[in-house]
Amino acid sequence: MSENLDKSNVNEAGKSKSNDSEEGLEDAVEGADEALQKAIKSDSSSPQRVQRPHSSPPRFVTVEELLETARGVTNMALAHEIVVNGDFQIKPVELPENSLKKRVKEIVHKAFWDCLSVQLSEDPPAYDHAIKLVGEIKETLLSFLLPGHTRLRNQITEVLDLDLIKQEAENGALDISKLAEFIIGMMGTLCAPARDEEVRKLKDIKEIVPLFREIFSVLDLMKVDMANFAISSIRPHLMQQSVEYERKKFQEILERQPNSLDFVTQWLEEASEDLMTQKYKHALPVGGMAAGSGDMPRLSPVAVQNYAYLKLLKWDHLQRPFPETVLMDQSRFHELQLQLEQLTILGAVLLVTFSMAVPGISSQADFAEKLKMIVKILLTDMHLPSFHLKDVLTTIGEKVCLEVSSCLSLCGSSPFTTDKETVLKGQIQAVASPDDPIRRIMESRILTFLETYLASGHQKPLPTVPGGLSPVQRELEEVAIKFARLVNYNKMVFCPYYDAILSKILVRS
């Protein structure tokens, strides 16, 4: 398969938004945007370049090309964020306190409103700026209307008729307070329920200049609400268009920066080598080999891809560059990685506890759930710099022994001996080491479960949870579903590129 994809049947998905909406969207995906731009730019001084396979010679690019590439990255990141992040929302832009931008904005706004106040204080009042503001308010209100809002559209057009308002101003018959009253009433009709309180407060403002200032402030919030409503309404219909759009945008980036698949190639090569040498035998996919023409079986491209995605859950994010095609989801993969690390510790502690305790104690659902919640709470801050796993596991060991002794006492079983407590505490503390056998077993079984779920095509019901993972089954299945969604969407967008790269890699295998 050719690496240069046919772009003729890729539809443009996305129109230009208002400036406010774009600012909110860009802020929301700023991290992904910056990271992807860094990945596609050539930097000969970077120590990471030693690891990057040079698939194409370096070339000089113009500033215009870099800007165009950056715009393409931003647009692709925005479309991706809207589709992948179900909780994605535009938020009003809030400038940092004491920042230069905020100070300049405040100075300019104060000058504008002071000028308006001076004009309205003249005798007779000058309404030039006020009428322009009414015109802006009119356009904003009309932009909130749906096609079927004919009556409201007629009301706004009739009451906020700028020609008529100008005539009234020239003849000294303009009642600006009456216009403001109509505007506030219309805002109350069109706003989301969450804005009712802000609109109600407008009625308490009697001075015209502060009133107009607050009206524009609330209208800005209503614009954000409308944009979020539009996003939630069209999200179900965006999936296929977004796949085509992201692929098209990435292809455009690839044409400007031909080395934009170098880290992906390295990532897939490593996955292929790991599978071929069976270096990580415990994580090998079931049926990972496809029958070949010779004695040596060949790797399945699907198995290599699935194994490559599993490697992202063991990634060294500080030392290794992330593959370009999954870069926009790096934070999500990293979050899943942290969840799995916590789940591994949790599962290991519970496995050790239930193995040491009296047989049957783990079958008591209430006790098992209570013990799990205690350990989960103590592991909550596991990935903060101030967290010390050894110390926390010592605390967990003490708490677990108390709970087990209490449960045995209530059940009328033999008490938990001091020797057993010492052994249990020691085994729980040993889980702090990445080389601890119990911890490695849990990690291996978790990865096996995730690989099996990927290989199953994400069909329900989920695969059977491996032995020892039953206490954390619910948490593990939640992670598996999130992981599979990320993988599935990424495959939909970039599978043609993966197929092209793997077709060359597997021929050499």
Side-chain angles (χ1 to χ4, degrees):
M1 179 182 294
S2 170
E3 289 190 40
N4 291 325
L5 303 178
D6 180 11
K7 301 181 292 175
S8 60
N9 52 5
V10 182
N11 297 323
E12 183 73 28
K15 307 272 183 182
S16 59
K17 309 269 184 198
S18 69
N19 290 338
D20 288 341
S21 297
E22 286 187 355
E23 285 180 9
L25 283 165
E26 289 170 8
D27 286 346
V29 293
E30 186 180 80
D33 182 7
E34 291 179 357
L36 192 50
Q37 289 185 49
K38 287 179 183 177
I40 62 174
K41 291 179 182 177
S42 300
D43 182 6
S44 58
S45 64
S46 172
Q48 294 173 352
R49 298 292 298 166
V50 213
Q51 302 177 12
R52 174 179 286 202
H54 295 277
S55 60
S56 54
R59 69 184 183 89
F60 293 104
V61 294
T62 65
V63 174
E64 289 76 13
E65 287 177 308
L66 285 177
L67 290 175
E68 184 62 30
T69 300
R71 280 192 290 270
V73 170
T74 299
N75 292 337
M76 183 172 65
L78 300 180
H80 181 84
E81 191 71 16
I82 290 173
V83 172
V84 174
N85 184 1
D87 298 323
F88 175 77
Q89 282 193 331
I90 301 171
K91 295 181 180 178
V93 178
E94 294 184 4
L95 298 176
E97 286 293 332
N98 301 320
S99 66
L100 179 60
K101 282 185 178 180
K102 185 167 186 176
R103 290 201 300 271
V104 170
K105 180 180 178 181
E106 289 173 349
I107 291 171
V108 172
H109 280 207
K110 185 178 185 304
F112 174 82
W113 294 112
D114 286 348
C115 179
L116 178 62
S117 181
V118 169
Q119 286 190 345
L120 294 179
S121 301
E122 293 177 3
D123 189 16
Y127 290 109
D128 295 347
H129 281 179
I131 293 174
K132 289 179 181 178
L133 293 180
V134 171
E136 290 182 27
I137 293 172
K138 174 184 177 181
E139 293 304 316
T140 302
L141 292 175
L142 290 174
S143 70
F144 294 151
L145 300 180
L146 298 176
H149 290 160
T150 308
R151 184 178 60 82
L152 294 177
R153 189 181 305 278
N154 291 338
Q155 280 185 352
I156 294 171
T157 305
E158 181 181 340
V159 177
L160 302 183
D161 184 337
L162 297 187
D163 292 333
L164 180 59
I165 292 173
K166 287 177 183 177
Q167 291 179 14
E168 291 177 347
E170 291 170 359
N171 296 321
L174 179 60
D175 187 349
I176 198 77
S177 299
K178 190 174 181 181
L179 289 179
E181 184 181 342
F182 171 80
I183 290 169
I184 294 171
M186 190 57 65
M187 290 171 65
T189 302
L190 298 176
C191 73
R195 302 299 172 201
D196 285 343
E197 183 62 21
E198 282 98 331
V199 174
R200 187 193 63 75
K201 289 179 180 179
L202 294 176
K203 298 177 182 179
D204 299 331
I205 304 175
K206 304 305 179 184
E207 296 183 22
I208 294 300
V209 174
L211 177 57
F212 268 87
R213 188 167 189 165
E214 289 305 311
I215 284 175
F216 273 94
S217 177
V218 176
L219 284 175
D220 285 341
L221 295 176
M222 290 174 63
K223 288 178 185 178
V224 173
D225 294 338
M226 180 58 70
N228 287 327
F229 171 74
I231 288 172
S232 62
S233 299
I234 64 175
R235 181 179 282 116
H237 311 289
L238 279 181
M239 180 66 76
Q240 187 56 42
Q241 289 86 342
S242 180
V243 168
E244 295 173 354
Y245 179 72
E246 284 190 47
R247 191 182 298 160
K248 175 186 175 183
K249 285 298 178 183
F250 187 81
Q251 179 64 29
E252 292 173 359
I253 293 170
L254 188 60
E255 289 171 358
R256 294 190 186 93
Q257 302 288 333
N259 61 349
S260 297
L261 282 172
D262 285 359
F263 290 138
V264 171
T265 303
Q266 186 178 8
W267 169 51
L268 293 176
E269 282 178 343
E270 288 180 3
S272 173
E273 290 169 5
D274 287 350
L275 282 176
M276 184 59 73
T277 60
Q278 299 186 7
K279 184 177 180 181
Y280 303 113
K281 204 168 189 177
H282 62 281
L284 274 174
V286 180
M289 299 290 185
S293 54
D295 295 331
M296 185 67 179
R298 60 182 177 82
L299 292 174
S300 158
V302 174
V304 175
Q305 283 187 47
N306 288 345
Y307 186 73
Y309 285 116
L310 288 175
K311 285 174 68 68
L312 298 179
L313 299 176
K314 299 289 294 177
W315 203 263
D316 186 347
H317 293 267
L318 296 178
Q319 299 296 326
R320 297 198 58 191
F322 217 58
E324 296 91 342
T325 52
V326 286
L327 199 53
M328 287 189 295
D329 287 319
Q330 181 172 10
S331 61
R332 295 183 179 89
F333 279 108
H334 191 208
E335 183 182 349
L336 290 176
Q337 181 176 343
L338 298 181
Q339 290 178 13
L340 288 177
E341 288 176 3
Q342 188 181 64
L343 208 55
T344 300
I345 301 294
L346 174 61
V349 169
L350 295 178
L351 180 62
V352 166
T353 302
F354 294 143
S355 300
M356 282 287 299
V358 175
I361 194 173
S362 61
S363 62
Q364 298 184 28
D366 292 343
F367 171 75
E369 191 64 27
K370 179 183 178 182
L371 196 62
K372 181 172 73 172
M373 286 305 299
I374 291 172
V375 179
K376 278 180 72 174
I377 290 171
L378 292 172
L379 292 174
T380 299
D381 299 329
M382 179 175 164
H383 297 99
L384 295 180
S386 58
F387 187 90
H388 298 288
L389 183 58
K390 284 186 177 181
D391 295 341
V392 173
L393 286 174
T394 300
T395 304
I396 288 175
E398 297 284 350
K399 189 66 177 172
V400 165
C401 287
L402 285 174
E403 293 296 330
V404 171
S405 297
S406 174
C407 182
L408 292 175
S409 176
L410 290 173
C411 296
S413 302
S414 302
F416 208 45
T417 65
T418 305
D419 290 342
K420 282 189 175 182
E421 281 192 12
T422 303
V423 173
L424 178 56
K425 290 176 183 177
Q427 290 188 349
I428 290 176
Q429 289 172 1
V431 172
S433 170
D435 295 324
D436 177 65
I438 302 298
R439 179 170 170 175
R440 293 183 65 180
I441 287 172
M442 297 304 294
E443 182 180 287
S444 170
R445 291 177 180 177
I446 286 173
L447 291 177
T448 299
F449 176 78
L450 293 175
E451 193 285 325
T452 306
Y453 185 49
L454 287 183
S456 70
H458 323 148
Q459 295 180 356
K460 293 184 178 180
L462 273 70
T464 304
V465 174
L469 292 176
S470 298
V472 294
Q473 178 174 349
R474 184 179 71 252
E475 291 83 357
L476 181 57
E477 289 179 348
E478 289 174 358
V479 171
I481 291 171
K482 291 178 184 176
F483 178 58
R485 282 176 182 165
L486 282 181
V487 169
N488 188 44
Y489 185 77
N490 186 263
K491 281 184 177 181
M492 289 171 65
V493 178
F494 296 106
C495 197
Y497 297 100
Y498 299 152
D499 288 344
I501 294 171
L502 286 173
S503 65
K504 297 177 182 179
I505 292 175
L506 297 182
V507 164
R508 302 196 300 263
S509 301

